[in-house]
Amino acid sequence: MNQPIEDATQRFGKFMMWGLWLAILAVIFILLYASNRSENSITINGFSGQYSTSGKIDQVPVRFLLDTGATHVVISDELASVLDVENLGETRMETANGIATGYLTELDQIEFGPIKLTNIDAIVNPAMDGKEVLLGMSALKQVEFTQKGSNLTVVQLR
């Protein structure tokens, strides 16, 4: 007579154990996911799919154009002189205007909004003008970004 009650109790117990394990796994996943993110984020309003924001390279004010198609951060010769960066060797690059020759360098720090990136590989392109900087994947690989409508949210990974 007690058999149906015991079977129901055992089924309920198994159900509760599965639920407990799922809850534990969910908590572990959330903690691991949250530990790879930081509070450092900025939302950039774009225009025609282009995202631009002000920032600094080694405390020098610049304008960044986020460019996921660029392998490196690219700066002008003029800006390289102001930053007094080291020439780490000649390189050739493909640009919208064809093949160009520049040189490799490393930037100590890039900042935009609360995001701070360090030791960034870059290329100096003598054909570029001014203080606009292409913020390429050598920097963007250190952040996570999501696009919603015309907004791009950039989050610094730890």
Side-chain angles (χ1 to χ4, degrees):
M1 278 288 235
N2 289 336
Q3 187 65 25
I5 293 173
E6 288 175 12
D7 287 344
T9 302
Q10 286 177 344
R11 282 194 305 268
F12 182 73
K14 286 180 184 178
F15 174 76
M16 290 301 290
M17 286 302 294
W18 277 106
L20 178 63
W21 279 111
L22 285 174
I24 290 170
L25 289 173
V27 168
I28 290 171
F29 174 78
I30 289 169
L31 290 175
L32 288 175
Y33 181 73
S35 70
N36 286 330
R37 298 177 61 96
S38 71
E39 297 300 316
N40 295 343
S41 70
I42 182 173
T43 299
I44 303 167
N45 190 352
F47 178 75
S48 296
Q50 294 186 358
Y51 297 93
S52 178
T53 188
S54 59
K56 295 178 183 177
I57 297 178
D58 299 339
Q59 301 304 314
V60 175
V62 296
R63 187 88 189 148
F64 291 114
L65 178 62
L66 280 70
D67 187 352
T68 58
T71 305
H72 288 86
V73 171
V74 182
I75 64 174
S76 68
D77 206 24
E78 175 188 337
L79 181 57
S81 294
V82 171
L83 295 171
D84 193 30
V85 296
E86 183 179 356
N87 181 336
L88 299 177
E90 189 174 286
T91 188
R92 292 173 54 87
M93 65 196 114
E94 285 188 50
T95 71
N97 296 325
I99 302 293
T101 301
Y103 65 89
L104 298 168
T105 193
E106 185 174 270
L107 305 173
D108 292 330
Q109 185 173 28
I110 288 177
E111 300 176 58
F112 56 102
I115 295 175
K116 292 181 174 77
L117 309 173
T118 57
N119 303 321
I120 306 296
D121 292 334
I123 293 178
V124 177
N125 182 351
M128 281 181 66
D129 292 324
K131 291 189 176 181
E132 186 167 81
V133 175
L134 294 181
L135 194 59
M137 291 307 294
S138 62
L140 295 176
K141 68 183 178 186
Q142 296 184 39
V143 298
E144 180 178 273
F145 43 94
T146 54
Q147 180 182 8
K148 288 186 182 176
S150 63
N151 292 324
L152 184 73
T153 301
V154 182
V155 179
Q156 184 170 3
L157 301 174
R158 288 187 186 189

